[in-house]
Amino acid sequence: MRVFLIAGEPSGDRLGGALMAGLKSLVPAVQFDGIGGEEMQANGLVSRFPMDELSVMGIAEVLPKYAHLKRRIRETAQAVIDAAPDVLITIDSPDFCLRVAGLVKVASSVRTVHYVAPTVWAWRPNRAAKMARVIDHVLALFPFEPPLMTAVGMECDFVGHPVVAEPQATDAEITAFRSAFGLDESRFALVLPGSRAGEVTRLSPVFGRALARLAQAHPDLRIVVPAAGPVADLVRARLADWPPSTVVIDPRDFDPMVARAHKRAAFRAAEVALAASGTVSLELAAAQTPMVVAYRFNWLSWQIISRMALVDTVTLVNLVSETRVVPEFLGPACQPDSVAQALGEVLANPDGQLEAMATTMTRLGQGGDAPGLRAARAVLSRLSG
């Protein structure tokens, strides 16, 4: 069996790696080709070019790289056509992946699977119908998505979200983390300003001022920032106006396994988290850490997205649990005073989000088979059917 996979983001790479591991366990002779990052390469993929060429977010951010991305789309589609795999599996990154799938469908009969349903429940609902022209089968992360995909003619399976299979910090890991960063007896707030340079640049001033206000009311509260490796230097450079007790966890300073353990421990031991909008809210829910979510977009991206939104929240814990317990501040609402006030309120009632977080994990597949294995079974079942 030959499988061509494409991932364009670290989150997609993790999904791809788990799916590949699942496929290998079910079909040991499977052969992989395509584009991916460290997780997929660890499972046997030789990436045709660096995945980070595709890690671009936001409408305005894509424009300067448009010509290069178009060239990569053509190159990748031709590689799939030439390889003639049993299945093409594209993972998230729809602006790139679906264009590749479209070119492949025009020139071949290769079966196409897309992992991560488009968020048609949030904005641009017509995307599902457009996607159905080039995609045969969808692997969905959320249980409410399959009816939206099958309604426009695609096969769809809910396979669970990978967050439910991720390990949580042990007591020993938390002790080691606290000792390593001088936090033995300290209460601390976790701050997650994003993994992209644009996110850090836009959010760090707002986050810093909000945390300064929070520190006035809670002078004993330390600040811990687990920085993503590619933006760790930028994070440090942006902390001049943050509370002086801020601790940055730079994963480049540690062995990868230790760095991951420190991150798990920080998530589990924090009193509260201030996070950029995204799937990190699910990681916090898995760790049972109450949170406030905030995000500022590029101006042009915000003007377009805000006019097309179909939901009143983008925080996944709120959506999956069908509650609105996680405070959220997006676009112009992302202001220091509002964020600081919400953080203080969450600190005063840290248990207020626990039920919604537990519901979220259950609905995403906690307690069942690992999502990567479920995804692999879904691919094979539909392929053989």
Side-chain angles (χ1 to χ4, degrees):
M1 179 181 178
R2 292 173 297 154
V3 180
F4 198 108
L5 304 103
I6 305 169
E9 296 276 353
S11 59
D13 179 48
R14 289 190 293 273
L15 289 171
L19 170 59
M20 291 169 67
L23 286 170
K24 287 193 295 184
S25 72
L26 299 172
V27 185
V30 64
Q31 299 177 19
F32 299 118
D33 193 357
I35 300 147
E38 293 180 1
E39 297 288 338
M40 293 169 68
Q41 291 174 41
N43 279 282
L45 179 72
V46 177
S47 187
R48 288 178 172 262
F49 57 82
M51 184 191 72
D52 59 14
E53 290 188 22
L54 309 182
S55 297
V56 184
M57 181 180 181
I59 297 165
E61 290 83 355
V62 169
L63 293 178
K65 299 183 178 180
Y66 184 66
H68 177 71
L69 289 171
K70 281 195 69 175
R71 183 167 61 254
R72 284 303 197 193
I73 288 168
R74 292 193 298 270
E75 291 174 359
T76 304
Q78 190 60 52
V80 177
I81 294 164
D82 292 343
D86 295 291
V87 61
L88 165 64
I89 303 176
T90 55
I91 307 170
D92 210 357
S93 301
D95 289 333
F96 183 88
C97 287
L98 298 185
R99 284 175 170 81
V100 171
L103 293 175
V104 170
K105 276 297 188 185
V106 167
S108 76
S109 60
V110 171
R111 180 173 174 79
T112 53
V113 176
H114 191 68
Y115 198 169
V116 183
T119 54
V120 296
W121 38 266
W123 71 308
R124 290 171 57 200
N126 62 321
R127 285 177 293 165
K130 291 178 64 176
M131 183 170 150
R133 301 170 191 164
V134 300
I135 295 297
D136 301 308
H137 180 200
V138 180
L139 304 175
L141 303 187
F142 299 107
F144 50 78
E145 292 176 323
L148 300 173
M149 302 297 106
T150 58
V152 294
M154 291 179 286
E155 299 169 342
C156 186
D157 292 296
F158 166 61
V159 298
H161 196 286
V163 71
V164 302
E166 293 175 0
Q168 296 300 313
T170 64
D171 290 344
E173 287 175 335
I174 291 173
T175 299
F177 160 73
R178 286 186 174 278
S179 177
F181 292 94
L183 297 165
D184 296 294
E185 303 296 331
S186 299
R187 300 167 66 236
F188 67 89
L190 192 69
V191 182
L192 302 152
S195 59
R196 301 178 182 86
E199 292 173 330
V200 173
T201 300
R202 289 191 296 272
L203 291 175
S204 54
V206 178
F207 281 18
R209 291 194 291 274
L211 294 166
R213 289 161 173 72
L214 184 69
Q216 293 175 355
H218 299 271
D220 63 326
L221 192 70
R222 303 283 298 278
I223 306 299
V224 174
V225 187
V231 294
D233 290 334
L234 178 60
V235 168
R236 290 185 186 278
R238 293 277 170 167
L239 298 186
D241 298 327
W242 287 41
S245 60
T246 298
V247 173
V248 176
I249 305 174
D250 187 338
R252 300 172 301 177
D253 294 340
F254 304 94
D255 173 85
M257 290 185 64
V258 174
R260 287 193 290 271
H262 282 337
K263 180 183 176 181
R264 287 196 298 268
F267 272 58
R268 191 66 186 238
E271 299 276 331
V272 66
L274 171 57
S277 176
T279 56
V280 71
S281 70
L282 298 180
E283 296 180 58
L284 291 166
Q288 296 184 302
T289 299
M291 71 196 84
V292 172
V293 169
Y295 201 82
R296 275 190 171 176
F297 298 82
N298 171 281
W299 183 86
L300 177 58
S301 297
W302 172 252
Q303 295 303 312
I304 296 171
I305 291 170
S306 63
R307 285 165 170 76
M308 301 177 73
L310 301 176
V311 291
D312 63 348
T313 178
V314 300
T315 299
L316 292 168
V317 173
N318 288 341
L319 288 165
V320 177
S321 67
E322 298 178 279
T323 69
R324 296 298 183 266
V325 296
V326 176
E328 177 185 270
F329 303 92
L330 306 179
C334 182
Q335 299 293 335
D337 287 341
S338 301
V339 172
Q341 180 178 340
L343 286 167
E345 291 171 355
V346 173
L347 277 171
N349 181 26
D351 296 336
Q353 298 178 21
L354 293 182
E355 183 177 351
M357 291 191 290
T359 298
T360 297
M361 291 300 105
T362 299
R363 290 181 177 178
L364 294 184
Q366 193 172 63
D369 287 336
L373 180 59
R374 292 175 63 173
R377 285 179 179 149
V379 169
L380 294 174
S381 174
R382 300 280 189 176
L383 191 61
S384 61

